[in-house]
Amino acid sequence: SRLQAIRDDWSARQYDLDEALTYNRKLWTILVTSATEPTSALPQAIKQNVANLGLFVFNHTVSLLTNPAPERLGVLININRELAAGLRA
């Protein structure tokens, strides 16, 4: 929701981007670490998919930090929403 709010009001909130991306990266770090640890009960294919998605999120985050633009936030917003919907189901 933080990333969405920044994208929706870029001119007033773009300076909140670093903090929102840092928070998002911390959440993804926890998710990837938990999902891929050897004691995780997840199937290996799911572990690999989570790791790959996490790597994409981390790389896109770095890219956004170096080249911020509101239209580039949509990818992270969509991934986060889809993951959240999947976890709720």
Side-chain angles (χ1 to χ4, degrees):
S1 64
R2 289 180 184 187
L3 295 174
Q4 183 67 55
I6 292 168
R7 185 173 80 167
D8 290 346
D9 192 11
W10 181 256
S11 60
R13 303 220 32 208
Q14 66 180 321
Y15 301 106
D16 297 332
L17 182 61
D18 286 357
E19 183 180 331
L21 289 173
T22 297
Y23 181 77
N24 193 60
R25 188 182 69 241
K26 287 178 183 178
L27 290 175
W28 272 94
T29 298
I30 293 166
L31 174 67
V32 170
T33 301
S34 297
T36 60
E37 65 184 11
T39 59
S40 171
L42 292 173
Q44 187 59 35
I46 299 293
K47 288 181 180 184
Q48 188 62 48
N49 287 342
V50 170
N52 289 339
L53 193 53
L55 185 58
F56 174 82
V57 168
F58 298 143
N59 287 333
H60 193 71
T61 297
V62 170
S63 176
L64 272 165
L65 288 168
T66 58
N67 186 20
E71 62 275 4
R72 299 185 67 226
L73 289 171
V75 172
L76 292 181
I77 292 166
N78 289 335
I79 290 171
N80 289 348
R81 283 186 179 156
E82 292 296 323
L83 180 66
L87 291 173
R88 281 191 294 268

